Amino acid sequence: MPFVAPLFVPADHPQRFAKAASTHADAVIIDLEDAVAPAAKQAARNAMLAADIGDKPLIVRVNGSPTPWWDEDLAVVARSRAALVMVPKAESVSS
């Protein structure tokens, strides 16, 4: 079943995760990408790993492959319970 109405939550605002999970959204998307300032990326990854969104599917939007955060985002997502990984809009065939 596709996720018709997922809800985005910035990963550096973990206090919003439970609220997002309590809505009628089909899934929660924790955003590590442009919603998070560079200085907050590591704390945001840690918050995503600790996220308690109940039984809602977790989707994680990562930073793009040309960024310095790509590798670490993927490594952290691999340790998470994410159902899906969302990559940002591709800007070229190679990214």
Side-chain angles (χ1 to χ4, degrees):
M1 175 179 157
F3 301 118
V4 179
L7 182 62
F8 277 86
V9 182
D12 60 344
H13 291 283
Q15 70 279 11
R16 297 181 187 170
F17 297 167
K19 185 174 182 178
S22 72
T23 68
H24 292 289
D26 293 324
V28 174
I29 300 173
I30 295 182
D31 189 2
L32 294 171
E33 196 210 4
D34 57 357
V36 179
K41 297 286 187 188
Q42 188 57 51
R45 288 186 198 105
N46 293 339
M48 182 275 299
L49 280 174
D52 180 7
I53 59 165
D55 60 355
K56 294 239 184 198
L58 171 62
I59 301 169
V60 180
R61 182 163 78 161
V62 297
N63 288 276
S65 63
T67 70
W69 307 291
W70 167 258
D71 290 330
E72 185 62 25
D73 282 359
L74 293 182
V76 170
V77 169
R79 297 190 334 252
S80 76
R81 69 168 201 85
L84 293 170
V85 175
M86 179 182 286
V87 295
K89 183 175 88 173
E91 296 183 17
S92 72
V93 173
S94 63
S95 63

